[in-house]
Amino acid sequence: MEAGETMSIGDSGKVDLEFVNVTHSIIDAINPVLHTPEGAVVYGLDKRMDHTPVIGDPIDMERFREIGREGEGVLCYIEDCTNANKKGRTPSEKVAREHLRDVLYSIEDYDGGIVATTFSSHIARVKSLVEFADDIGRQPVLLGRSMEKYSGTAERLDFVDFPSDLGMFGHRKSVDRTFKRIMNEGKENYLPIVTGHQGEPRAMLTRMARGETPYELDDGDKVVFSARVIPEPTNEGQRYQAEKLLGMQGARVYDDIHVSGHLNQEGHYEMLDALQPQHIIPAHQDMSGYSSYVNLCESEGYKMGRDLHVTRNGNLIQLVD
Amino acid sequence: MEAGETMSIGDSGKVDLEFVNVTHSIIDAINPVLHTPEGAVVYGLDKRMDHTPVIGDPIDMERFREIGREGEGVLCYIEDCTNANKKGRTPSEKVAREHLRDVLYSIEDYDGGIVATTFSSHIARVKSLVEFADDIGRQPVLLGRSMEKYSGTAERLDFVDFPSDLGMFGHRKSVDRTFKRIMNEGKENYLPIVTGHQGEPRAMLTRMARGETPYELDDGDKVVFSARVIPEPTNEGQRYQAEKLLGMQGARVYDDIHVSGHLNQEGHYEMLDALQPQHIIPAHQDMSGYSSYVNLCESEGYKMGRDLHVTRNGNLIQLVD
Amino acid sequence: MEAGETMSIGDSGKVDLEFVNVTHSIIDAINPVLHTPEGAVVYGLDKRMDHTPVIGDPIDMERFREIGREGEGVLCYIEDCTNANKKGRTPSEKVAREHLRDVLYSIEDYDGGIVATTFSSHIARVKSLVEFADDIGRQPVLLGRSMEKYSGTAERLDFVDFPSDLGMFGHRKSVDRTFKRIMNEGKENYLPIVTGHQGEPRAMLTRMARGETPYELDDGDKVVFSARVIPEPTNEGQRYQAEKLLGMQGARVYDDIHVSGHLNQEGHYEMLDALQPQHIIPAHQDMSGYSSYVNLCESEGYKMGRDLHVTRNGNLIQLVD
Amino acid sequence: MEAGETMSIGDSGKVDLEFVNVTHSIIDAINPVLHTPEGAVVYGLDKRMDHTPVIGDPIDMERFREIGREGEGVLCYIEDCTNANKKGRTPSEKVAREHLRDVLYSIEDYDGGIVATTFSSHIARVKSLVEFADDIGRQPVLLGRSMEKYSGTAERLDFVDFPSDLGMFGHRKSVDRTFKRIMNEGKENYLPIVTGHQGEPRAMLTRMARGETPYELDDGDKVVFSARVIPEPTNEGQRYQAEKLLGMQGARVYDDIHVSGHLNQEGHYEMLDALQPQHIIPAHQDMSGYSSYVNLCESEGYKMGRDLHVTRNGNLIQLVD
């Protein structure tokens, strides 16, 4: 079942499931909508409101607005609140792409090693890295198990069109062989795109930082983090360690070249405006993560306990008699 | 009606109101308890769990534990969540007092001006300041409208026993006259205790910082803030301004000599342990302020929507049929 | 004297002054270089390393590299350290432009008021706002004294090519007349670009937020801050107040659509690499602001007290005998 | 050589070394002073200005003031700047002791496990823990290699007078045997004082948190951190992990019961006032750590490059001709 399609659920013939196209850090993201006789139930999974994604179609706001107006309207909207405490609007992937282009073009003349890392599942970002590598005269190569897995799958399923000679290597032996070839032919000719953007101890970049791979980092080599540190102390500690190790080898770090895949406050405001739901259930966060979303809903006239339901997984809420 | 007392409410003769003694930044604080046939309703107003308050009795945990065990137990506990996101235990006022003593004794030999500021309503703190002023050979004097009002009232109602010659002045004329006397007789003989701990533009300390009073600050003079900055940007901006002005006159700042009047997480844990309420309603905060309290309640087996009710002022919750 | 030009200084004929083109938040920025018999003295005024500025030429890195290699090389480099504690690379103005485009295009369908604010002196940003206003079918108009002054001057000096009918109004009467016209003809047809991005109490946006202008903000109206809050408590307090007032009128805020005008660490690294100075003097900051820059210089082999001079305005440093 | 003593250095008979008593987180701390014909050189090692330390004598400010006035005065003052960026005054160890007492007394009635952790080298704090354990009816026992080493040594050298039956165990076997005994005789009778306040992966508390010792943590058990998290991401990550593990076992955490061992700004101000040094050299920090100290010195009339020398280890500074 694809974005835009609808199928009947159950035997009654009265309930339909529809997938509406949305935009997120992964390709082919959808939000499911259950059409019932009492109205639509919209399950707001992870998404960004992106009108210029690098891969795939823009978010289908037109369809959300229709769902808000047609039939009984929206009975209930369950919404992912990951970024609901952040002000403003999450920028389009296009903005991250321009930021990334700016960084890579600015080091075009550097004649040593450049290494990039990002989320393996973020195919649009990987694609941008692959393109800009070519633009600055370097051969891109994807290294690390999950890097090979995600990009390989995306290519096989035709979600992305990589250069036919793009190397992807996951097994340690083939990765190390690739690194040896890079060292032999000159680091200045390659852009390894590797796993390890959060400083995970076993990921490729961290292994490079510890000197455990044949790739040797030299003074002035560039490491481009097209990712943001996930704000959790364990994670921040690991990433800090990885950057420290990179710094001890002389590497220069370009970090934070990223946009989030989740709606900020103004995206949530626009979703409410489009759907006009009768009931709202914030989801995917703890109480603290819901706070701004609850404020937003209340400023739009909803009321806790009446049509705004702050609850927990496992609870049952009856919306109609 | 005083802490420890109970009175009947309504005509049925079935509902009693009791005041349980608690400890807070003000004197004579209580938490009201409504005894109903279905159980007690405990309204957890602002409090700290203080076993060694400087003025008044310790919090009556024994009574709270009794209320939790007697009759139908506690039907509902409505709790102030101001500090519920803070770890650990709020220290006793005795700890703030020792901290304050340490600061003032450490500048005992200074032969210039020393000025202190704190919450006017915080009579225990004012009392400590008055005592320590005497200890280091300085005459304390209370200055500022609310300083005069609160301390004057506390003394008249016999909540506190100040030295009989303690000066308290609120009207600008008498304040300025006092400042002139201090300047004439030597700043080294006085400890003015003034309003303005949050940098409020019209408060006494801010006026002193702007040079608008006859009291002249000199290089090395000490300003003791027995208060914490209330964390809100407008407020932080004002306090920052006031400190900058003080610094431009050469004053040295001792800040943050304070303990909160509200329960931290471990105080909340102990209250739940004492009361064992059937239902809990967090209060006095927004959603974000409730988050740790909700986590705490859930770790103690409560469940949102069942016996843990996150709601808003104006909502009605029916607990028994 | 323009970027790229050189003139002789003094009578000896031995000292020349050159202006090298750089990129910054203002147009026509240069860094002065003094060519002396002992080598060049480069005064690194405010700049970003921008290869795709929206107005004017890219930073002239080629010339900096030449200066580093020619003659005696660079005797001394005095560098602005404003952002030296920030990691990575300051993005190009082009990235801010794409971010701004993304925000304004995303609210293209909104049929109420949209207001934007930015630095009056940031002509490139004002130009982007003016263009995108047109793209989304709104007439831009510049309001506020400094907005009129800077943009008017830039246009008269031919630094920027605004639409011939672009309105610019500074005097309160003409501003209010413009607001009245906007209210009459429909807010949905205009994009006022106003002063007040830091919440300055007397600036245009703050006056609008307080309801002191004829422009009425309605529920859902958008306010776009193409600026970042300058991190100083007084300032943060004012901006917070302004946003609160805007929120009370129902306005939705899009903030932080900006890139800095100052070099981050990797820009400083590249400048050192280009200039290879014999001596370095960090400038324009306090000790704390210099710390990362000193670390950077030390990692490049400089040594404090020998060829890296941390000093204060008014101090004299003799570099050659 | 002890605090207060002086010995001659070198053959000239002109240079004497004196040890001045100071107060710090360790016992028996001194600051060395070199008396030369050109004046005294005071080496300001780690210290707090403590007039009421729990063990040992108060800081000898009287002697510092004498050194500032006698003979040629102080030629040079080299000062530890660890906390120089912090406002106000570092509280006395007595304040930490009262805070700790407040916490332990508040859980006196708890009939399950209570565990405490602090710096092994902080004998005064360990002594307070040992005393308060006894006060609340629990037998203290010191566990962990460094805990045994430091406290054992302090006791043998008569720096502290522990109860004769105080158990101290460092080897894993004897620690585990002790834990088994505690489990058999009842956790409510003991207060284990253990290593691991920073969440170090191999320290005792972390092992307890991972369930690797015979001591079983139960719901509601208390863990008292008489220490502050050292602010470095690796460290913060480890501590966070340790607290999370403790929380998963139901333990309640009381943290941050501590005062620093280093001078804050007002302590530095008083030291300058006492010593009146001709030259000042900030030490033990990077540039960022010096910034407030440099501001302080400048506000007292010193000037960078003249009598205030910001430098690095290994540099030589000639103060007299």
Side-chain angles (χ1 to χ4, degrees):
Chain A
M1 203 177 143
E2 306 233 319
E5 293 186 0
T6 297
M7 62 177 285
S8 188
I9 296 272
D11 294 332
S12 69
K14 291 182 177 166
V15 178
D16 293 325
L17 175 66
E18 174 185 4
F19 281 1
V20 179
N21 187 62
V22 299
T23 40
H24 184 49
S25 312
I26 56 165
I27 42 179
D28 208 33
I30 57 96
N31 275 193
V33 178
L34 215 58
H35 295 280
T36 81
E38 280 82 16
V41 175
V42 180
Y43 195 175
L45 294 169
D46 301 0
K47 65 176 161 299
R48 169 178 53 222
M49 198 168 289
D50 200 333
H51 304 299
T52 52
V54 167
I55 292 183
D57 294 320
I59 187 169
D60 194 352
M61 289 305 292
E62 189 46 45
R63 181 60 193 136
F64 281 126
R65 271 189 288 263
E66 274 173 26
I67 293 171
R69 284 188 307 258
E70 73 192 10
E72 301 294 317
V74 174
L75 172 65
C76 182
Y77 180 36
I78 302 154
E79 179 56 310
D80 161 59
C81 289
T82 304
N83 271 6
N85 287 347
K86 293 197 183 147
K87 289 202 297 185
R89 168 185 163 74
T90 314
S92 166
E93 176 64 19
K94 195 188 167 196
V95 176
R97 181 176 161 94
E98 288 309 314
H99 189 183
L100 187 55
R101 186 203 302 272
D102 182 51
V103 166
L104 286 172
Y105 281 30
S106 82
I107 49 181
E108 180 167 13
D109 295 338
Y110 181 65
D111 59 357
I114 304 181
V115 179
T117 181
T118 189
F119 298 87
S120 299
S121 57
H122 201 321
I123 303 301
R125 197 67 56 74
V126 172
K127 181 179 147 74
S128 293
L129 281 165
V130 165
E131 284 183 33
F132 299 149
D134 189 60
D135 290 354
I136 64 170
R138 286 171 184 256
Q139 190 174 325
V141 54
L142 309 186
L143 299 174
R145 264 173 222 281
S146 63
M147 202 50 89
E148 182 199 24
K149 195 183 85 183
Y150 281 98
S151 284
T153 307
E155 194 178 37
R156 277 190 297 281
L157 298 178
D158 269 338
F159 280 117
V160 63
D161 189 26
F162 284 130
S164 58
D165 61 344
L166 177 65
M168 306 182 191
F169 305 101
H171 290 284
R172 183 176 292 213
K173 272 192 185 165
S174 50
V175 168
D176 281 1
R177 212 178 307 124
T178 308
F179 276 143
K180 272 182 203 142
R181 200 177 69 232
I182 292 175
M183 292 306 293
N184 283 334
E185 299 185 7
K187 290 192 296 181
E188 69 279 10
N189 302 312
Y190 288 90
L191 182 79
I193 300 166
V194 303
T195 55
H197 52 89
Q198 298 297 315
E200 305 89 330
R202 286 153 204 268
M204 193 56 62
L205 184 62
T206 316
R207 287 183 54 218
M208 296 169 83
R210 281 196 303 258
E212 292 174 10
T213 76
Y215 190 100
E216 284 163 32
L217 286 161
D218 290 306
D219 257 27
D221 280 359
K222 320 295 185 194
V223 179
V224 176
F225 285 85
S226 194
R228 209 161 279 160
V229 187
I230 297 166
E232 194 262 357
T234 315
N235 202 61
E236 286 166 339
Q238 287 183 353
R239 168 74 179 263
Y240 174 81
Q241 281 284 9
E243 287 196 39
K244 222 166 93 174
L245 289 167
L246 289 169
M248 284 163 63
Q249 303 211 28
R252 310 300 314 173
V253 167
Y254 293 76
D255 69 339
D256 231 14
I257 305 160
H258 190 59
V259 299
S260 167
H262 300 270
L263 293 176
N264 281 10
Q265 277 171 32
E266 296 315 311
H268 285 299
Y269 178 88
E270 288 195 49
M271 282 305 297
L272 291 184
D273 192 56
L275 293 175
Q276 303 282 354
Q278 295 168 47
H279 294 270
I280 299 176
I281 303 176
H284 301 168
Q285 282 290 302
D286 64 6
M287 218 43 42
S288 169
Y290 294 153
S291 57
S292 297
Y293 193 71
V294 166
N295 291 345
L296 171 64
C297 294
E298 291 185 334
S299 76
E300 295 305 296
Y302 293 89
K303 197 172 164 192
M304 275 195 53
R306 188 187 62 194
D307 44 20
L308 170 59
H309 311 274
V310 176
T311 182
R312 280 293 207 248
N313 287 343
N315 279 13
L316 206 76
I317 297 178
Q318 182 174 347
L319 300 174
V320 283
D321 303 309
Chain B
M1 204 176 142
E2 306 233 319
E5 292 187 2
T6 297
M7 63 177 283
S8 188
I9 297 273
D11 294 333
S12 69
K14 291 182 177 166
V15 178
D16 292 326
L17 174 66
E18 175 184 3
F19 282 2
V20 179
N21 187 63
V22 300
T23 40
H24 184 50
S25 313
I26 57 165
I27 43 179
D28 209 32
I30 58 96
N31 274 193
V33 177
L34 215 58
H35 295 280
T36 80
E38 280 80 17
V41 176
V42 181
Y43 195 175
L45 293 168
D46 301 1
K47 65 177 161 296
R48 170 178 53 222
M49 198 169 287
D50 199 332
H51 303 299
T52 53
V54 167
I55 293 183
D57 294 321
I59 186 168
D60 194 352
M61 287 307 292
E62 188 47 45
R63 182 59 192 136
F64 281 126
R65 272 189 289 264
E66 274 173 26
I67 293 171
R69 284 188 307 259
E70 74 192 9
E72 301 295 316
V74 174
L75 173 64
C76 182
Y77 181 36
I78 302 154
E79 179 56 309
D80 162 59
C81 289
T82 304
N83 271 6
N85 287 347
K86 292 198 184 147
K87 289 202 298 185
R89 169 186 162 74
T90 314
S92 165
E93 177 63 19
K94 195 187 168 197
V95 176
R97 182 176 159 94
E98 289 309 315
H99 188 184
L100 187 56
R101 186 202 304 271
D102 181 52
V103 166
L104 286 172
Y105 281 30
S106 82
I107 49 180
E108 180 167 14
D109 295 337
Y110 181 65
D111 60 356
I114 303 181
V115 178
T117 181
T118 190
F119 297 86
S120 299
S121 57
H122 200 321
I123 303 300
R125 197 68 56 74
V126 172
K127 180 180 148 75
S128 293
L129 281 164
V130 165
E131 284 182 34
F132 299 148
D134 189 61
D135 291 354
I136 63 170
R138 285 170 185 255
Q139 191 174 327
V141 54
L142 309 186
L143 299 174
R145 265 173 223 280
S146 63
M147 201 51 90
E148 182 199 23
K149 195 184 87 183
Y150 281 99
S151 284
T153 307
E155 193 177 36
R156 276 191 298 280
L157 298 178
D158 269 338
F159 280 118
V160 62
D161 190 26
F162 284 130
S164 57
D165 62 344
L166 177 64
M168 306 181 193
F169 304 101
H171 290 285
R172 183 176 292 215
K173 272 192 186 167
S174 50
V175 169
D176 281 2
R177 211 179 309 122
T178 308
F179 275 142
K180 272 183 203 143
R181 201 178 69 231
I182 291 176
M183 293 305 294
N184 284 334
E185 300 185 6
K187 290 192 295 181
E188 69 280 10
N189 302 312
Y190 288 91
L191 182 79
I193 300 166
V194 303
T195 54
H197 52 90
Q198 298 297 315
E200 305 90 331
R202 287 153 203 269
M204 194 55 63
L205 184 62
T206 316
R207 288 183 54 218
M208 296 169 82
R210 282 197 301 260
E212 293 173 9
T213 76
Y215 190 99
E216 284 163 32
L217 286 160
D218 290 306
D219 257 27
D221 280 0
K222 320 295 184 194
V223 178
V224 176
F225 285 85
S226 195
R228 209 161 280 163
V229 187
I230 297 166
E232 194 261 359
T234 316
N235 201 62
E236 287 166 341
Q238 288 183 352
R239 169 73 179 264
Y240 174 82
Q241 282 285 8
E243 287 195 39
K244 221 164 95 173
L245 289 167
L246 289 168
M248 283 163 62
Q249 303 211 29
R252 311 298 317 172
V253 167
Y254 294 75
D255 69 339
D256 230 15
I257 305 160
H258 190 57
V259 298
S260 168
H262 299 270
L263 293 176
N264 282 9
Q265 278 171 30
E266 296 316 311
H268 284 298
Y269 178 88
E270 288 194 50
M271 283 304 296
L272 290 185
D273 192 57
L275 292 176
Q276 304 281 353
Q278 295 168 48
H279 293 270
I280 300 175
I281 302 176
H284 301 167
Q285 283 290 302
D286 64 6
M287 218 43 43
S288 167
Y290 294 153
S291 57
S292 297
Y293 193 71
V294 166
N295 291 344
L296 171 64
C297 294
E298 290 185 335
S299 77
E300 295 306 294
Y302 293 89
K303 196 172 165 193
M304 274 195 54
R306 187 186 64 194
D307 44 20
L308 171 58
H309 311 274
V310 176
T311 182
R312 280 293 208 248
N313 287 343
N315 280 12
L316 207 76
I317 297 178
Q318 181 173 345
L319 300 175
V320 282
D321 303 309
Chain C
M1 204 177 143
E2 305 233 319
E5 292 186 0
T6 297
M7 63 177 285
S8 188
I9 297 274
D11 294 333
S12 68
K14 290 183 178 166
V15 178
D16 293 327
L17 175 66
E18 174 184 4
F19 281 2
V20 179
N21 186 62
V22 299
T23 40
H24 184 49
S25 312
I26 56 165
I27 43 180
D28 209 33
I30 57 97
N31 276 192
V33 177
L34 216 58
H35 295 279
T36 80
E38 280 82 16
V41 175
V42 180
Y43 195 176
L45 294 169
D46 300 1
K47 65 177 161 298
R48 170 178 54 222
M49 198 168 291
D50 199 333
H51 304 300
T52 52
V54 168
I55 293 184
D57 294 321
I59 187 169
D60 194 351
M61 288 305 294
E62 188 47 44
R63 181 60 192 137
F64 280 127
R65 272 189 288 264
E66 274 173 26
I67 292 171
R69 284 188 307 257
E70 73 192 10
E72 302 294 317
V74 174
L75 173 63
C76 181
Y77 181 36
I78 302 154
E79 180 56 310
D80 161 59
C81 289
T82 304
N83 270 5
N85 287 348
K86 292 197 184 147
K87 288 203 297 185
R89 166 185 165 75
T90 314
S92 165
E93 176 64 19
K94 195 188 167 195
V95 176
R97 181 176 160 93
E98 289 309 314
H99 189 183
L100 187 56
R101 185 203 304 271
D102 181 53
V103 165
L104 287 172
Y105 281 30
S106 81
I107 49 181
E108 180 167 13
D109 294 337
Y110 182 64
D111 60 356
I114 304 181
V115 178
T117 180
T118 189
F119 298 87
S120 299
S121 57
H122 201 321
I123 303 300
R125 198 66 57 75
V126 172
K127 180 180 148 76
S128 293
L129 281 164
V130 165
E131 284 182 33
F132 299 148
D134 189 60
D135 290 354
I136 63 170
R138 285 171 184 256
Q139 190 174 325
V141 54
L142 310 185
L143 299 174
R145 266 173 220 282
S146 63
M147 202 50 89
E148 182 199 24
K149 195 184 88 184
Y150 281 100
S151 284
T153 307
E155 192 177 39
R156 278 191 297 281
L157 298 178
D158 269 338
F159 279 119
V160 62
D161 190 26
F162 284 130
S164 57
D165 61 346
L166 176 66
M168 306 181 189
F169 305 101
H171 289 286
R172 183 176 293 214
K173 272 193 185 165
S174 49
V175 169
D176 281 2
R177 213 179 307 124
T178 307
F179 276 142
K180 271 182 204 144
R181 201 179 69 231
I182 291 175
M183 292 306 292
N184 284 333
E185 300 185 6
K187 290 192 296 181
E188 68 280 10
N189 301 311
Y190 288 90
L191 182 80
I193 300 167
V194 303
T195 55
H197 52 89
Q198 298 297 314
E200 305 89 331
R202 288 153 202 268
M204 193 55 62
L205 183 62
T206 316
R207 288 182 55 219
M208 295 169 82
R210 281 196 303 259
E212 293 174 9
T213 76
Y215 190 100
E216 283 163 32
L217 286 161
D218 290 306
D219 257 27
D221 280 0
K222 320 295 185 193
V223 178
V224 176
F225 285 85
S226 195
R228 208 161 279 162
V229 187
I230 298 166
E232 194 260 357
T234 316
N235 202 62
E236 287 165 340
Q238 288 183 351
R239 167 74 179 262
Y240 174 82
Q241 282 284 9
E243 287 195 39
K244 221 164 94 174
L245 290 167
L246 289 168
M248 284 163 63
Q249 305 212 27
R252 311 298 316 172
V253 167
Y254 294 76
D255 68 339
D256 231 15
I257 305 161
H258 190 58
V259 298
S260 168
H262 300 270
L263 293 176
N264 282 9
Q265 277 172 31
E266 297 316 310
H268 284 300
Y269 179 88
E270 288 194 51
M271 283 304 297
L272 291 184
D273 192 57
L275 292 176
Q276 304 281 353
Q278 295 169 48
H279 293 270
I280 299 175
I281 303 176
H284 301 166
Q285 282 291 302
D286 64 6
M287 217 44 42
S288 169
Y290 294 154
S291 57
S292 297
Y293 194 71
V294 165
N295 290 344
L296 171 64
C297 294
E298 290 185 335
S299 76
E300 295 305 295
Y302 293 90
K303 196 172 165 193
M304 276 195 51
R306 187 186 65 194
D307 44 20
L308 171 60
H309 311 274
V310 176
T311 182
R312 280 294 208 245
N313 287 344
N315 279 13
L316 207 78
I317 297 178
Q318 182 174 346
L319 300 174
V320 283
D321 303 309
Chain D
M1 204 175 143
E2 306 233 319
E5 291 186 1
T6 297
M7 63 177 283
S8 187
I9 296 274
D11 295 332
S12 70
K14 289 180 177 168
V15 178
D16 292 326
L17 175 67
E18 175 184 3
F19 281 2
V20 179
N21 187 63
V22 299
T23 39
H24 184 49
S25 312
I26 56 165
I27 43 179
D28 208 34
I30 57 96
N31 275 193
V33 178
L34 215 58
H35 294 279
T36 80
E38 279 80 16
V41 175
V42 180
Y43 195 175
L45 293 168
D46 300 1
K47 64 177 162 296
R48 170 178 53 222
M49 199 169 289
D50 200 332
H51 303 300
T52 54
V54 167
I55 293 183
D57 294 321
I59 187 168
D60 194 351
M61 287 308 291
E62 189 46 46
R63 182 58 193 137
F64 280 126
R65 272 189 288 266
E66 275 174 25
I67 292 171
R69 285 188 308 258
E70 74 192 9
E72 301 295 317
V74 174
L75 173 64
C76 182
Y77 181 36
I78 302 155
E79 181 56 309
D80 162 59
C81 289
T82 303
N83 271 6
N85 286 348
K86 293 197 183 145
K87 288 201 300 183
R89 167 185 164 75
T90 313
S92 165
E93 176 63 19
K94 194 188 168 196
V95 176
R97 181 176 160 92
E98 288 309 315
H99 188 183
L100 187 57
R101 185 202 304 270
D102 180 52
V103 166
L104 287 171
Y105 282 30
S106 82
I107 49 180
E108 180 167 14
D109 295 337
Y110 181 65
D111 60 356
I114 304 180
V115 179
T117 180
T118 190
F119 298 86
S120 300
S121 58
H122 200 321
I123 303 301
R125 197 67 56 75
V126 172
K127 180 179 148 74
S128 293
L129 281 165
V130 166
E131 284 182 34
F132 299 148
D134 189 61
D135 291 354
I136 64 170
R138 286 171 184 255
Q139 191 174 326
V141 53
L142 309 186
L143 299 174
R145 265 171 223 283
S146 63
M147 201 50 89
E148 181 199 25
K149 195 183 87 182
Y150 280 100
S151 283
T153 306
E155 192 178 39
R156 277 190 298 280
L157 298 178
D158 269 338
F159 279 118
V160 63
D161 189 26
F162 283 131
S164 57
D165 61 346
L166 176 65
M168 306 181 192
F169 305 100
H171 291 285
R172 183 177 291 214
K173 272 192 186 166
S174 49
V175 169
D176 281 1
R177 212 179 307 125
T178 308
F179 276 142
K180 272 182 204 143
R181 201 179 69 230
I182 292 175
M183 292 306 293
N184 284 334
E185 300 184 7
K187 291 191 295 180
E188 68 279 11
N189 302 313
Y190 288 91
L191 182 79
I193 300 166
V194 303
T195 55
H197 52 89
Q198 298 298 313
E200 305 88 332
R202 288 153 203 269
M204 192 56 62
L205 183 62
T206 316
R207 288 183 53 218
M208 297 169 82
R210 281 196 302 259
E212 293 173 9
T213 76
Y215 190 100
E216 284 162 33
L217 286 162
D218 290 305
D219 257 26
D221 280 0
K222 319 295 186 193
V223 178
V224 176
F225 285 85
S226 194
R228 208 161 281 163
V229 188
I230 298 166
E232 194 261 357
T234 315
N235 201 62
E236 287 166 340
Q238 288 183 351
R239 169 73 179 263
Y240 175 82
Q241 281 284 10
E243 287 194 39
K244 221 165 94 174
L245 289 167
L246 289 168
M248 283 163 63
Q249 305 212 26
R252 310 298 318 170
V253 167
Y254 294 75
D255 69 337
D256 231 14
I257 306 159
H258 189 59
V259 298
S260 167
H262 299 271
L263 294 175
N264 281 9
Q265 277 171 33
E266 295 317 310
H268 285 299
Y269 178 89
E270 288 194 51
M271 283 304 298
L272 291 184
D273 191 58
L275 292 176
Q276 304 281 352
Q278 296 168 48
H279 294 269
I280 299 176
I281 303 176
H284 301 168
Q285 282 290 301
D286 64 6
M287 217 44 42
S288 169
Y290 293 154
S291 58
S292 296
Y293 194 71
V294 165
N295 291 345
L296 172 64
C297 295
E298 290 184 335
S299 77
E300 295 305 295
Y302 293 89
K303 198 175 163 188
M304 274 196 52
R306 186 186 67 195
D307 43 20
L308 171 58
H309 310 274
V310 176
T311 181
R312 279 294 206 246
N313 287 343
N315 279 13
L316 206 78
I317 297 177
Q318 182 173 346
L319 301 174
V320 283
D321 303 308

